[in-house]
Amino acid sequence: MTEKLSFPSADRNKGPILDVLKRVLPPNARVLEIASGTGQHAVHFAAHLPGITWQPSDIDPERRASIRIWREESGLENILEPLTVDVTRSDWDVGAFDVIYNSNLIHISPWKCCLGLLAGARRHVRPDGLLIIYGPFKIGGEHTAPGNRAFDEDLRARDPRWGVRDLEAVRDAADGFDLEERVEMPANNQTLVFRKT
């Protein structure tokens, strides 16, 4: 049975993330969201950014089903049908976008998924476009809060390939992009805004 999913964390962080998006997204941008999850963010952002075309995606069929329910119930015309995107593939078959946005993927997946996200952004973000990544990061090799250290330990216990990433490692792997801005967010998270060079 298809189920509409809802995560409390997505409700908690959608407002602060929207504040950043309102400020940095170009007018009438086409945005590809990677690993959209439940669909909560897509609906919230599309509702508050009516000039934006929001393209959700997820590798998980249950998540895509949830996104469809959120989308249909919202009645919003600026959210598109969710796509299947596996960031580790060399061909996403999605076309070009002004912005790629991702929340909470790279620490709950192997490092190759971060590299795949960055490679896909190089292929699919238009020149001078943006890559926006939200989540927890270590800065200068250090956790930004004790809670992040505990979270990192929990992630690595569940899967040694997971873990809170070093901001500098992500920045250095983002060939073809400049880290334009780092925004401190609630709950010891960060939003990284990269611009394609």
Side-chain angles (χ1 to χ4, degrees):
M1 179 177 175
T2 301
E3 184 179 359
K4 178 184 176 182
L5 303 173
S6 180
F7 295 157
S9 59
D11 272 334
R12 287 194 299 269
N13 63 29
K14 67 185 182 184
I17 296 172
L18 177 63
D19 290 341
V20 176
L21 296 180
K22 282 181 174 178
R23 185 169 54 77
V24 304
L25 291 185
N28 305 311
R30 293 186 72 244
V31 181
L32 171 62
E33 181 181 15
I34 295 296
S36 299
T38 63
Q40 289 163 268
H41 276 182
V43 166
H44 185 73
F45 299 156
H48 288 85
L49 299 164
I52 301 299
T53 300
W54 199 270
Q55 175 63 74
S57 72
D58 207 281
I59 193 172
D60 186 330
E62 291 184 1
R63 303 289 172 89
R64 292 196 303 276
S66 178
I67 295 165
R68 288 187 189 97
I69 296 171
W70 278 93
R71 174 180 179 249
E72 289 164 9
E73 290 182 355
S74 76
L76 294 167
E77 296 183 357
N78 59 327
I79 305 177
L80 305 180
E81 175 73 11
L83 301 175
T84 304
V85 174
D86 177 349
V87 294
T88 65
R89 292 181 63 93
S90 60
D91 181 8
W92 292 0
D93 193 27
V94 296
F97 287 85
D98 302 299
V99 179
I100 288 180
Y101 162 79
N102 169 253
S103 172
N104 291 326
L105 167 70
I106 64 173
H107 59 287
I108 314 178
S109 62
W111 177 243
K112 70 176 183 178
C113 291
C114 179
L115 297 179
L117 172 66
L118 299 174
R122 282 191 289 275
R123 293 191 304 269
H124 296 288
V125 173
R126 293 189 175 102
D128 204 41
L130 301 177
L131 168 64
I132 302 171
I133 304 176
Y134 168 89
F137 290 89
K138 289 188 284 186
I139 299 176
E142 299 293 330
H143 290 289
T144 60
N148 280 16
R149 181 183 302 278
F151 181 45
D152 186 39
E153 290 171 356
D154 176 66
L155 289 171
R156 293 178 189 278
R158 285 191 270 165
D159 189 323
R161 301 173 301 166
W162 296 4
V164 174
R165 304 303 178 190
D166 285 292
L167 183 152
E168 292 83 3
V170 176
R171 179 200 64 200
D172 293 348
D175 296 334
F177 286 85
D178 287 336
L179 179 57
E180 192 166 81
E181 187 175 358
R182 175 178 66 85
V183 184
E184 292 190 9
M185 306 293 284
N188 305 304
N189 289 299
Q190 311 285 326
T191 296
L192 308 184
V193 181
F194 293 90
R195 186 171 297 279
K196 192 172 185 181
T197 54

